[in-house]
């Protein structure tokens, strides 16, 4: 059977119109004659959404009983048995009640799709697994119901239901999303403009990524290599030279001209890995690219223009930024250069050739200006050349009649090759020229003259010189390559150590500098920062610099005091003391320096984040307080005011029972308001450390009954079972009673109507444990600590459960008395709050 097709309506937040759009599509399909049924739709009391259900066939829901409550879920078997062409099933991320066929609704939908039925469903961006932690950071509310991204990604069609934050808040304010009593809290918390804007951006970016995947798949399936300018992507090519900083900034400006353009940097290294750029420059430029919101890439290729264009085509780039050639005029006569060659082959990709200060200065290779061999080997080569040629000539002179000229030439060629192996190119070339002269003088007729009679002998000698020179150059190149490979291997090992340092999370500056000091066997390595503005002589002034981090003994206090220093930026210098480093080691040192700058920046950002965290928490608390108090003050005040105004009214003749009921309403509302004010005041005293506490010996069996009596009408829902033989505890009677009242009223609120809340106590070691046990829905273990945060109610499902201070205040009061308040799961379901108080040691 052919699998059904899945269509998903994705929204940024509740209320944007996903269910409305899904039902609208269902009605249009019915009008076209398609067999469509409603498998499960949740209207949330929205009249306009409910109106769209009229005329559609609704599959009855399956009822399940769990913990004494009845729930309605999607009836998968009924939908499959009905076998419609399409089914409308709301809330893709919904978690089914235990006892259902599947744990998640998306698994139910998968079964329906397998039956060949098309499904139209809905989901919010906050329910996608990949962005769950981001949403928690934005809104402060974790989403317990999530769906794997892959489930949504493999949908045949995804449609974004978009709405501006202002429009959604207007819908909310008009009562089109939630009931009126929930609007104020929703607007002040989850539905703030900042939250909605961030969630909207997440939804747009997620859908854009899905569109990119579809576009890439379509181009790959249809073999389309040309660039489609659906989105600007600017690629900047980096050689590892100093001009890279200029190119990155220029490319960033090009990308900034188009909203949403991508910036990518690429470095092409040769297949042998020997002709790469300066790692210090590349490390610095990579950090620069990433600081501008771009990404860094590295590809391997011997044909640089082709490698650049292959990469640009692979990422669907629209523009390519290259630096003007650094080669001189003479070199450009023999080769057009990477820029010109890339432009000729670019096709539909725009190529920008950017001039810079390094243009036409030639490519400088500090290491190649040196000989490939050591000085000792070069000196040995000269000695062999000077001494070996006369000795070979003297050895071959008596054999002139025995050996032919070609043999003598081969013997001289062997000596030249040996000299090339020992001393390199120049001793070998000199030996080749000297051998030519000696062969001409002593072995080519006429002897002992510089004349050559036979042209064939002249040709042989000329070929000898050319071959000797070519072989010498090849041998020297091989020696140079071998030396470069050894250096590259050493640099790679060093940089691998640096990469491992980063991957293992050892980002502390002291650790990084310590590894640098060990790598190069230095006495000390110090990161210096300039204190004020740069001056001409501040390299020598100790007051102009401060030590940020150091490793080793005798740290440098100024750049001038270092044996080797690397300027990272206008304000940062890495100073090393112990020995002078050669150019190749300095390149790796510069890579370490760039990483040290990144580590310093990360440390400072983390420090700033830690400093800003209390301010953000205070702001969050203030916002939550205003939102919660605005509602919780309004409700009892409104009720009390209405009751008093009714009693004062002369238009109605109230009966005695009505007057008693109105007075009871006013009394209850004012008592609730009094408790709220007391909780707020006590919470502020706790946070300020100004709460007065009077500890004294107490008998648990005396304080618990008083707390139960204070519950008022709720006292009948609580059952106390306190043994009389418990030892006395040390506590403040009033505060402990407040704690118990808060816990018991909270337990009653969440317990099923037919279940009693049980209060027990027991004695363990030097503590007495008072347990408040309910049989409610309970709290998942991962949320135990969160429920003790001020102004938090697990789930925030309604605004009738108080300001959310009860548990926070209870824990604060308990700890202020020297005790502890901890939750644990009630066996069989529910929550048990345990008050642990110390035994009176003076008993």
């Amino acid at each position: 059977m052919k699998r059904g097709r899945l269509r998903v309506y994705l929204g940024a937040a509740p209320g944007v119109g996903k269910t409305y759009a899904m039902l609208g599509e269902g009605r249009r399909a019915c009008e076209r004659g398609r067999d469509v049924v409603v498998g499960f739709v949740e209207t949330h009391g929205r009249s306009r959404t409910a109106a769209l259900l009229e005329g559609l066939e609704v599959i009855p829901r399956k009822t399940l009983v769990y913990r004494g409550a009845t729930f309605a879920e999607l009836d998968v078997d009924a939908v499959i048995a009905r076998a419609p062409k399409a089914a409308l099933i709301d809330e893709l991320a919904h978690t089914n009640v235990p006892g259902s066929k599947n744990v998640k609704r998306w698994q139910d939908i998968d079964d329906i799709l397998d039956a060949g039925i098309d499904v139209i469903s809905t989901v919010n961006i906050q329910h996608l697994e990949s962005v769950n932690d981001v949403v928690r950071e934005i809104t402060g509310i974790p989403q317990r119901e999530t769906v794997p991204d892959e489930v949504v990604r493999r949908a045949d069609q995804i449609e974004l239901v978009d709405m501006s934050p202002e429009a959604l808040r207007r819908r909310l304010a008009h009562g089109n999303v939630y009931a009126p009593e929930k609007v104020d809290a929703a607007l002040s918390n989850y539905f703030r403009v900042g939250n909605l804007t961030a969630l909207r951006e997440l939804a747009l970016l997620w859908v854009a990524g899905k569109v990119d995947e579809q576009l890439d798949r379509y181009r790959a399936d249809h073999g389309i290599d040309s660039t489609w300018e659906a989105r600007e992507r600017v690629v900047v090519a980096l050689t590892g030279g100093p001009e890279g900083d200029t190119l990155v900034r220029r490319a960033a400006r090009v990308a900034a001209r188009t909203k949403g353009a991508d910036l990518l940097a690429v470095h092409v290294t040769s297949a042998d890995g020997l002709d790469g750029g300066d790692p210090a420059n590349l490390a610095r430029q990579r950090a620069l690219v990433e600081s501008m919101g771009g990404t860094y890439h590295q590809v391997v290729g011997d044909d640089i223009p082709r490698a650049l264009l292959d990469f640009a085509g692979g990422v669907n780039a629209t523009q390519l930024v290259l630096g003007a050639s650094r080669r001189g005029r003479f070199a450009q006569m023999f080769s057009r250069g990477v820029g010109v060659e890339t432009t000729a082959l670019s096709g539909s990709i725009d190529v920008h050739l950017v001039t810079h200060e390094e243009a036409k200065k030639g490519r400088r290779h500090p290491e190649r200006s040196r000989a490939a061999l050591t000085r000792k080997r070069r000196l040995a080569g000269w000695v062999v050349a000077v001494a070996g040629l006369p000795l070979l000539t003297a050895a071959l002179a008596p054999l002139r009649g025995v050996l032919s000229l070609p043999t003598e030439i081969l013997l001289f060629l062997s000596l030249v090759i040996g000299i090339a192996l020992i001393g390199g190119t120049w001793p070998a070339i000199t030996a080749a020229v000297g051998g030519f002269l000696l062969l001409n003088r002593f072995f080519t007729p006429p002897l002992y003259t510089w004349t050559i009679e036979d042209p064939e002998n002249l040709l042989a000698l000329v070929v000898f010189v050319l071959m000797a020179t070519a072989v010498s150059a090849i041998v020297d190149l091989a020696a140079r390559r071998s030396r470069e490979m050894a250096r590259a291997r050493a640099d790679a090992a060093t940089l691998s150590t640096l990469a491992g340092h980063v991957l293992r999370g050892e980002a502390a500056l002291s650790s990084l500098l310590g590894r640098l000091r060990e790598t190069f066997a230095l006495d000390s390595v110090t990161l210096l920062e300039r204190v004020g503005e740069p001056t001409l002589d501040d390299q020598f002034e100790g007051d102009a610099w401060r030590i940020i981090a150091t490793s080793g003994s005798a740290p440098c206090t100024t750049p001038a005091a270092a044996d080797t220093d690397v300027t990272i930026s206008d304000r940062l210098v890495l100073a090393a003391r112990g020995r002078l480093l050669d150019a190749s080691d300095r390149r790796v040192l510069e890579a370490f320096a760039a990483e040290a700058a990144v580590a310093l920046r990360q440390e400072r950002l983390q420090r700033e984040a830690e400093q800003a965290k209390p301010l953000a928490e205070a702001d969050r608390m203030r916002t939550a307080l205003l939102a919660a108090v605005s509602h919780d003050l309004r409700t009892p005040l409104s009720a009390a005011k209405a009751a008093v105004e009714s009693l004062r009214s002369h238009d109605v003749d109230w009966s005695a029972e009505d007057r008693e009921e109105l007075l009871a309403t006013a009394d209850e509302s004012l008592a609730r308001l009094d408790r709220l004010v007391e909780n707020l005041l006590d919470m502020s005293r706790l946070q300020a450390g100004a709460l007065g506490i009077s500890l004294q010996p107490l008998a648990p069996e005396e304080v618990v009954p008083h707390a139960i009596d204070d519950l008022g009408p709720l006292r009948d829902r609580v059952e106390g079972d306190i043994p009389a033989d418990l030892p006395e505890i040390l506590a403040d009677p009033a505060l402990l009673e407040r704690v118990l009242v808060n816990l018991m009223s909270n337990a009653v609120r969440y317990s099923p109507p037919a279940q009693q809340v049980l209060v027990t106590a027991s004695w363990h070691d030097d503590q007495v444990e008072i347990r408040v046990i309910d049989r409610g829905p309970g709290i998942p273990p991962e949320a135990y600590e969160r429920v003790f945060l001020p102004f938090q109610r697990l789930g925030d499902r309604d605004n009738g459960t108080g300001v959310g201070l009860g548990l926070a205040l209870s824990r604060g009061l308990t700890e202020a008395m020297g005790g502890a308040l901890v939750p644990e799961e009630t066996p069989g379901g529910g929550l048990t709050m345990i008050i642990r108080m110390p035994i009176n040691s003076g008993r």
Side-chain angles (χ1 to χ4, degrees), residues 226-482:
S226 60
T227 299
W228 285 10
E229 298 186 17
R231 184 175 182 177
E232 287 286 346
R233 285 186 174 87
V234 181
V235 174
V236 54
L238 301 177
T239 64
E243 77 281 359
D245 297 36
T246 302
L247 300 182
V248 170
R249 293 188 177 94
R250 181 74 173 107
R253 290 196 296 273
V254 172
R257 293 172 185 167
T258 304
K259 186 68 175 177
D262 293 333
L263 174 64
L264 302 92
V266 60
H267 170 67
V268 180
T269 185
S270 60
D272 57 14
L274 298 176
D275 194 23
D278 188 325
N281 288 338
L282 289 173
R284 184 181 67 255
Q285 290 155 14
R286 176 173 188 166
L288 180 61
V289 169
E290 291 174 349
S291 70
M292 294 180 176
T295 56
Y296 177 86
H297 308 268
Q298 185 162 321
V299 297
V300 177
D302 290 325
D303 186 350
I304 294 178
R306 178 52 59 191
L308 284 176
L309 291 173
D310 286 345
F311 174 81
V315 297
N316 201 24
T318 56
Q319 304 189 60
L320 182 59
V321 177
L322 302 173
S325 177
R326 287 188 290 166
R327 301 182 310 147
R329 293 177 181 270
F330 182 77
Q332 293 183 24
M333 293 174 59
F334 297 95
S335 174
R336 295 193 298 177
V338 172
V340 177
E341 190 72 24
T342 303
T343 304
L345 300 173
S346 62
S348 60
I349 300 176
D350 296 337
V351 178
H352 302 263
L353 284 178
V354 179
T355 186
H356 49 84
E357 295 180 354
E358 302 294 322
K360 296 186 179 180
K361 289 185 178 180
R363 298 193 64 179
R364 296 188 296 272
H365 299 280
E367 293 182 33
R368 293 191 179 186
S369 63
R370 302 181 177 186
L373 303 176
T374 63
R375 184 183 180 193
K376 183 182 292 187
R377 287 187 60 178
R378 295 199 307 273
L379 182 59
W382 284 110
V383 170
V384 173
V386 172
L389 289 174
L391 290 175
L392 181 60
T393 302
L396 294 178
L399 303 174
R400 272 194 295 261
V402 179
L403 301 176
S404 63
L405 180 60
T407 302
E408 293 162 345
I409 290 175
L410 286 175
L411 291 174
F412 271 87
L413 181 60
S414 300
L415 177 62
V416 172
I417 294 174
I419 293 171
L421 290 171
I422 297 171
T425 303
W426 291 110
I429 292 176
T430 303
V433 174
F436 171 84
L437 296 175
L438 290 173
L439 284 167
N440 180 18
R441 180 79 177 178
F442 297 102
F443 300 100
T444 305
L447 301 178
Y448 309 115
T449 66
W450 301 112
T451 304
I452 302 175
E453 292 180 348
D454 190 350
E456 187 176 345
N457 291 338
L458 176 60
L459 178 61
L461 291 177
V462 171
V463 171
F464 160 74
V465 174
L466 294 177
M467 290 295 297
T469 303
V471 170
S472 301
I474 292 172
V475 171
D476 182 72
L477 178 62
R480 188 189 302 275
R481 286 294 189 181
S482 177

Side-chain angles (χ1 to χ4, degrees), residues 64 153 163 172 186 289 301 590 600 674 731 767 771:
L64 296 169
R153 285 191 185 279
M163 180 176 289
L172 195 69
V289 169
E590 289 173 351
L600 175 62
D674 181 61
Q767 291 181 330
R771 295 172 175 262

Side-chain angles (χ1 to χ4, degrees), residues 698-769:
L698 289 176
E701 64 271 18
E702 295 177 1
V703 70
V704 171
H706 289 300
I708 294 176
D709 289 339
D710 287 345
L711 288 174
L714 299 178
R715 68 171 67 91
D716 296 334
R717 298 281 310 279
V718 179
E719 178 183 347
D721 184 14
I722 309 299
D725 58 347
L726 292 175
E728 290 184 337
I729 58 176
L730 199 60
D732 185 307
L735 296 184
L736 182 58
E737 191 171 320
R738 287 279 305 280
V739 172
L740 285 167
V741 170
N742 277 337
L743 296 181
M744 289 187 292
S745 61
N746 195 62
V748 169
R749 183 182 303 121
Y750 289 103
S751 291
Q755 292 285 345
Q756 292 285 102
V757 172
L758 179 63
V759 182
T760 65
S762 57
W763 176 18
H764 301 280
D765 297 329
D766 58 348
Q767 291 181 330
V768 169
E769 292 186 351

Side-chain angles (χ1 to χ4, degrees), residues 428-598:
I429 292 176
T430 303
V433 174
F436 171 84
L437 296 175
L438 290 173
L439 284 167
N440 180 18
R441 180 79 177 178
F442 297 102
F443 300 100
T444 305
L447 301 178
Y448 309 115
T449 66
W450 301 112
T451 304
I452 302 175
E453 292 180 348
D454 190 350
E456 187 176 345
N457 291 338
L458 176 60
L459 178 61
L461 291 177
V462 171
V463 171
F464 160 74
V465 174
L466 294 177
M467 290 295 297
T469 303
V471 170
S472 301
I474 292 172
V475 171
D476 182 72
L477 178 62
R480 188 189 302 275
R481 286 294 189 181
S482 177
R483 184 179 181 86
E484 289 178 355
M485 288 182 64
R487 168 57 62 184
R489 190 160 49 245
D491 290 351
T494 303
L495 293 175
S496 175
T497 301
L498 174 62
H501 172 275
V502 176
L503 290 174
R504 286 190 295 271
E506 303 171 14
L509 273 174
S510 56
S511 173
L512 181 65
L513 298 183
R515 289 186 175 274
L516 176 58
R517 181 177 59 83
E518 295 170 2
T519 300
F520 293 104
L522 299 169
D523 293 337
S524 68
V525 179
T526 307
L527 184 64
L528 299 173
E529 184 177 38
R530 183 178 272 113
V531 175
E533 293 300 320
T535 60
L536 292 176
D537 299 325
D538 64 359
Q539 300 289 314
F540 300 89
E541 297 177 3
D543 295 339
W545 301 88
R546 64 166 169 261
I547 297 176
I548 300 298
T550 187
S551 176
S553 59
C556 300
T557 56
T558 64
D563 294 317
T564 303
D565 64 278
V566 174
T567 301
I568 304 172
S569 65
D570 292 340
R571 308 198 65 83
L572 290 176
V573 172
L574 186 69
R577 174 180 285 170
R579 67 183 179 91
L580 289 172
L581 299 179
D582 59 25
S584 59
D585 287 340
R586 184 181 176 87
R587 295 201 318 164
V588 181
L589 182 67
E590 289 173 351
F592 269 91
E595 180 61 30
V598 173

